[in-house]
Every structure is written in C-alpha cells, then in structure tokens.
C-alpha cells in the first residue's frame, strides 16, 4: 500500500496572511515530498477541539500562531525546553502517539543573526524593546546564547518586570525613560514591538545612541526595512531584518513532519520577499 500523504498545517486567527504555506510548499516541492501544508483558521473557542482532531485527521503536526500559542502550550502533552522557558508553543508534532509542543521562534531569531551577523552573541549587552509574546522568544534565545546582560525596555514597566522574573539572572527591566542610557554601551538592539510596522510608524529608540559596533535587528519584516533599521543603517550600524527569523523558525518543524532538514536559501527568501508587498 502506498504511504499516505504527509499532512501538516498552520493555524491562527486570522491566518490568511501567513507566509508559512509558501515556505513549506517551497520545501515540499524542492524535496519532492508527497506532503501538504495548509492554513486553517480556527477561532479561539474552537482551538481545543481542533487540536483533538489532529490525530484522527492524520496530521503529523503543524504550526501555531497568534492567538493560539499559549493554548497550544496548555494542550501539548510534552514540551521541548524552549517552549517550557517561553510558555508558548509555535510547533506541534506527534512522537510515539504523544503530542509534543515546541517553540522554534528563538531558534529562528538566533539563526538569522548567525547568518547575517556572525559573532553577534559576543557583541555585548542586549537591549530588547517590548515585553509581549514575541519578546519572550527573543529573551529565551539571547539567554540560550549566553548573553549575560539583557535589558528589557517596555512602555508598561510591569510587563518587563514579569519577564525579568520569569527568565531570572542577567535580565533587567526598564521603562522607556531609561532607553537612551541603556543604549550607550549595548552591542545588540532588538525591536519586538509592532512599532514600525506598516500603518504603525514610529521609533522607540534612537540607534544614533548606540556604539559603532552595535547590531540592530527587528522582528517586524513588513516593511523589510523598518524605520528603526533605516535609522541604524543611516548611522552606519550593522542591521539584520526580521525575515530570516520567519524563514529559520520554519526549519525544525518541517524536519519533524517531513523527515528532511530544509535549507533557508536566497531563492526561498526572494520568493517570500516578492510576497511581502502589502495587500490592499
Ligand atoms: P506580541 O505578542 O506581538 O509581542 P503584544 O503582547 O501585544 O504583542 O506586545 C506588544 C508589545 O509592543 C508590548 O511590549 C507593547 O508595550 P506594552 O506592554 O506597554 O503594551 C509594545 N507596544 C505596542 N504599541 C506601542 C507603542 N505605541 N509604544 C510603545 N510600545 C508599544
């Protein structure tokens, strides 16, 4: 009997803007795998039922995006270490009949910097703008890479303090007023807020205050060059856009579901870049 098509998914609410089907579809075709990867919109109240139907429906696993990452964490039977640290799951898979939840966002973040700013983890203190869901994965990755001084800056100080308490040693929490001072000796600046996304212009930190060796990165990738990255580039600083994080976070999931570790290539990047033009 022929082996059944290998099935995976991405779920979110909404999910129609997700670029994940394009990324995984590219790799499925590249490797000639009899597989599928579909986007499934699931409302929050239906998420638990959706997860319960994955096994009978024959899914090997899939990706989970906003707003389901915490619910997926709660529903997974086992977690990898990153998911445990972050408290959220972006990748689900079955292993010996057990539903595992992992988090590959931090991996995507670090792998992107490895590609475009090798040695970044030895560049000095990191300043992280924002203390939302996305910020957690960044902090997990920074800690995992041994950054000893991580400074979280957030409009709402209490949220930054919550993350500091969650991640512990080496992390400090600050309100926006402290930003300038914190940048003066920083080696890495990461924006995890939606500031700078299309329709949400604004800068919450001035890269001109950073030392000349600093690296500036943004997890926002629409537009590819955010106002923060543009300002950093104008100052001659090294910048890394957020698209590589998206591409790299997809790698471990594909490997789990389809059995091949795929590569993030210039061709794949170009395909996704072509798709980033804002849709009216
Ligand atoms: P995500 O899961 O994408 O990180 P989130 O949990 O809503 O989204 O967090 C958004 C982050 O952007 C938060 O750090 C938020 O600051 P607050 O915690 O104070 O809300 C930050 N943010 C959003 N709009 C902002 C603005 N206009 N100025 C400063 N920070 C902003």
């Amino acid at each position: 009997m022929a082996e059944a098509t290998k099935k995976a998914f991405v779920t979110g609410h909404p999910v129609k803007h997700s670029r994940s089907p394009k990324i995984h579809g590219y790799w499925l075709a590249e490797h000639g795998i009899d597989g599928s990867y579909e986007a499934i919109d699931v409302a929050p109240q239906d998420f638990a039922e959706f997860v319960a139907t994955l096994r009978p429906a024959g899914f090997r696993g899939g990706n989970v995006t906003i707003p389901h990452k915490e619910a997926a964490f709660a529903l997974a039977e086992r977690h990898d270490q990153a998911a445990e640290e972050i408290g959220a799951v972006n990748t689900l898979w079955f292993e010996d009949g057990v539903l595992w939840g992992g988090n590959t966002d931090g991996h995507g973040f670090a792998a992107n910097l490895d590609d475009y700013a090798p040695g970044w983890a030895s560049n000095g203190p990191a300043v992280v703008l924002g203390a939302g869901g996305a910020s957690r994965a960044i902090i997990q990755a920074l800690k995992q890479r041994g950054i000893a001084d991580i400074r979280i800056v957030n409009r709402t100080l209490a949220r930054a303090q919550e993350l500091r308490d969650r991640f512990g040693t080496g992390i400090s929490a600050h309100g926006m007023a402290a930003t300038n001072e914190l940048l003066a000796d920083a080696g890495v600046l990461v924006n995890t807020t939606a500031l700078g996304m299309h329709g949400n212009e604004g800068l919450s930190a001035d890269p001109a205050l950073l030392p000349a060796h600093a690296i500036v990165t943004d997890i926002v990738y629409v537009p590819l060059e955010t106002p923060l990255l543009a300002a950093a580039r104008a100052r001659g600083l090294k910048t890394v856009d957020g698209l590589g994080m998206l591409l790299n976070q997809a790698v471990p999931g594909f490997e789990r579901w389809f059995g091949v570790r795929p590569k993030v290539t210039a061709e794949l990047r170009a395909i996704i870049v072509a798709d980033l033009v804002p849709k009216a």
Side-chain angles (χ1 to χ4, degrees):
M1 206 177 80
E3 208 193 327
T5 300
K6 299 171 174 130
K7 288 169 50 175
F9 63 86
V10 56
T11 183
H13 187 66
V15 79
K16 69 174 186 290
H17 297 295
S18 172
R19 271 100 193 173
S20 294
K22 266 214 155 65
I23 298 170
H24 291 282
Y26 170 86
W27 285 331
L28 285 169
E30 185 191 14
H31 295 283
I33 294 168
D34 178 16
S36 68
Y37 183 97
E38 58 182 304
I40 307 173
D41 194 313
V42 177
Q45 65 270 24
D46 300 327
F47 185 71
E49 193 190 328
F50 170 75
V51 170
T53 63
L54 292 175
R55 202 184 327 231
F59 282 107
R60 294 182 165 223
N63 284 126
V64 177
T65 186
I66 293 165
H68 301 314
K69 290 184 178 187
E70 281 82 16
F73 180 85
L75 291 165
E77 296 163 90
R78 303 280 304 273
H79 303 111
D80 72 6
Q81 198 187 331
E84 204 70 69
E85 288 173 19
I86 296 167
V89 155
N90 78 334
T91 306
L92 290 167
W93 71 93
F94 289 103
E95 206 171 306
D96 301 325
V98 173
L99 181 63
W100 277 77
N103 198 308
T104 67
D105 286 331
H107 163 78
F109 171 78
N112 184 34
L113 290 182
D114 288 343
D115 284 346
Y116 291 99
W120 65 274
S122 322
N123 215 38
V127 173
V128 178
L129 304 173
S135 175
R136 288 182 181 205
I138 305 306
I139 295 164
Q140 182 266 332
L142 292 170
K143 269 207 91 161
Q144 203 259 334
R145 288 308 194 86
I147 312 268
D149 180 352
I150 302 169
R151 305 157 179 183
I152 310 171
V153 180
N154 199 46
R155 180 178 57 181
T156 311
L157 176 61
R159 291 187 88 192
Q161 289 168 332
E162 258 171 54
L163 290 194
R164 177 198 61 198
D165 296 347
R166 178 178 190 99
F167 287 96
T169 331
I171 319 270
S172 56
H174 312 266
M176 304 286 278
T179 313
N180 292 357
E181 198 182 321
L182 295 169
L183 294 177
D185 64 340
V188 180
L189 172 63
V190 189
N191 176 47
T192 76
T193 74
L195 285 177
M197 266 179 99
H198 270 310
N200 195 359
E201 303 309 327
L203 265 192
S204 49
D206 181 0
L209 300 168
L210 286 162
H213 69 275
I215 297 161
V216 181
T217 186
D218 204 317
I219 69 160
V220 170
Y221 55 86
V222 183
L224 212 44
E225 184 170 71
T226 62
L228 178 71
L229 295 183
R233 189 166 59 88
R235 300 294 302 189
L237 300 178
K238 174 91 191 148
T239 61
V240 181
D241 68 55
L243 182 56
M245 177 177 169
L246 173 75
L247 300 175
N248 278 288
Q249 64 76 34
V251 169
F254 189 93
E255 184 178 22
R256 294 244 182 242
W257 314 315
F258 302 119
V260 177
R261 191 160 183 94
K263 290 210 161 26
V264 173
T265 59
E267 187 187 32
L268 171 60
R269 185 181 158 90
I271 290 169
I272 304 303
V273 167
D275 194 50
L276 292 183
V277 181
K279 294 180 178 90

